[in-house]
Amino acid sequence: MHEPSEYTKQVQASGEPEFREIGVGPWSQEHPGEPRPDVPGTPAFDARYDTELLDQGDRRNVLDRYRYWTVEAIKADLDDRSRYPFEIAVENWTHDFNIGSAVRSANAFGASRVHIVGPHKWNRKGALMTELYQHVDYHPSIKELATSWRFRIAGEIAAEQSRADARDIRASIAHRALTSVEQREQARSARRLEILRQAKIIALDIIPGAVPIERYRFPERCLLLFGAEGPGLSQAALDEADDVVYISQFGSVRSINAGAAAAVAMHSWVAQHAVIDGPGAAADSGSSAVIKA
């Protein structure tokens, strides 16, 4: 074992702080006498659990509900219960460390998808492995991204409109009014269509004509564009945007850290649209962190 550095010795001698231990130990220690959930054919079997994590413990930076789960199971559960309909895209022309931070924030705030524009290789250190739980797509250009995103929105509109039309046609053929269930389904379709038709691509950058984020109402369905640290978004990205929004600042520098800007923008969407009381809420997540004696 290496001798602690002088700095580490000073920290230890101070008696502060007492760091929390995150996560859980091996299943046999945490749940003595309880059957393991990774044994096929037994009543306790649950395919979401990872045998190696059950053996060694789970100290990952994940919510308590996901302790011992496989990456695939966590990703599927996020798809099912806690992703929101906004997406983010980051330009990767400078191999910026902040791309990783943006991906991590996308996971934290429930972005449905992350798009990387430019080279596939990007600095993942800031993501802290959260990219494993996200849907990450790659695009050769902003133009291709914008075209594919708008095409996908148009396809969803067409599909939803077809479902609504089909309900009306079935009732008309049967010479009857819509049932109460069909009326509720039609109302949901109308709401989905409204959201889809209001979908926008939104650039985050400080340029003339941009709108302060504090006064901007984000559409529920949107694609948020973020540029690299320093140069900001390319002109091609700004040309594709329906709106351009900036974060108000009051210091001496022109811009804040690109990863921080992405987090601010995503949280602004969350503040306007997210359901705070329910699945995904902080009060619902719990914590397995304990103070080490």
Side-chain angles (χ1 to χ4, degrees):
M1 180 179 294
H2 294 292
E3 177 73 12
S5 68
E6 288 302 316
Y7 178 81
T8 299
K9 291 178 181 179
Q10 291 177 29
V11 171
Q12 293 171 338
S14 72
E16 293 290 344
E18 293 183 350
F19 291 110
R20 297 180 300 162
E21 186 174 47
I22 304 297
V24 291
W27 179 270
S28 59
Q29 296 178 12
E30 301 288 340
H31 305 275
E34 295 184 25
R36 286 173 59 111
D38 63 333
V39 182
T42 63
F45 177 69
D46 189 331
R48 296 174 298 186
Y49 284 82
D50 183 279
T51 296
E52 185 175 347
L53 292 173
L54 291 169
D55 288 340
Q56 300 180 8
D58 187 355
R59 303 296 179 184
R60 298 173 300 175
N61 183 21
V62 298
L63 297 178
D64 289 350
R65 62 175 279 102
Y66 296 135
R67 291 297 171 203
Y68 304 119
W69 284 25
T70 66
V71 168
E72 293 76 16
I74 294 173
K75 190 173 182 179
D77 191 68
L78 290 173
D79 289 343
D80 184 60
R81 58 181 270 133
S82 63
R83 295 203 199 274
Y84 287 117
F86 73 90
E87 304 172 42
I88 75 163
V90 289
E91 290 194 300
N92 187 27
W93 307 121
T94 60
H95 193 57
D96 189 358
F97 175 82
N98 290 289
I99 292 175
S101 297
V103 172
R104 183 181 182 187
S105 294
N107 175 270
F109 296 125
S112 61
R113 193 167 293 273
V114 175
H115 303 272
I116 307 293
V117 180
H120 284 212
K121 184 179 180 180
W122 50 279
N123 195 323
R124 286 169 167 77
K125 289 183 179 179
L128 295 181
M129 305 299 288
T130 55
E131 74 274 10
L132 298 176
Y133 310 108
Q134 289 299 118
H135 297 285
V136 181
D137 293 339
Y138 295 91
H139 305 267
S141 69
I142 280 288
K143 182 67 175 179
E144 189 276 335
L145 165 63
T147 299
S148 63
W149 185 83
R150 290 191 171 106
F151 184 81
R152 180 154 47 89
I153 294 295
E156 291 182 33
I157 290 174
E160 194 63 53
Q161 188 64 61
S162 295
R163 284 190 287 268
D165 292 344
R167 295 186 198 105
D168 285 333
I169 291 170
R170 284 195 297 268
S172 177
I173 291 174
H175 302 289
R176 63 172 176 80
L178 293 172
T179 66
S180 59
V181 171
E182 288 172 329
Q183 290 176 15
R184 287 194 294 272
E185 290 175 342
Q186 290 296 73
R188 284 194 288 268
S189 285
R191 175 59 179 153
R192 293 191 193 104
L193 286 168
E194 179 184 13
I195 291 171
L196 287 165
R197 288 169 178 152
Q198 293 175 352
K200 290 183 177 182
I201 295 177
I202 303 164
L204 276 294
D205 208 342
I206 300 177
I207 62 170
V211 179
I213 197 170
E214 297 81 7
R215 299 177 186 171
Y216 184 75
R217 180 69 183 178
F218 284 91
E220 288 190 42
R221 194 67 180 270
C222 57
L223 173 62
L224 306 178
L225 303 181
F226 302 100
E229 184 76 15
L233 283 166
S234 67
Q235 187 59 50
L238 295 173
D239 290 343
E240 291 293 344
D242 297 299
D243 292 330
V244 182
V245 175
Y246 72 91
I247 299 168
S248 296
Q249 298 161 51
F250 309 97
S252 60
V253 298
R254 176 186 176 275
S255 64
I256 61 175
N257 173 281
V264 169
M266 284 184 266
H267 190 264
S268 294
W269 188 99
V270 166
Q272 293 178 11
H273 295 295
V275 177
I276 303 303
D277 296 322
D284 184 59
S285 66
S287 174
S288 62
V290 296
I291 302 297
K292 297 178 69 174

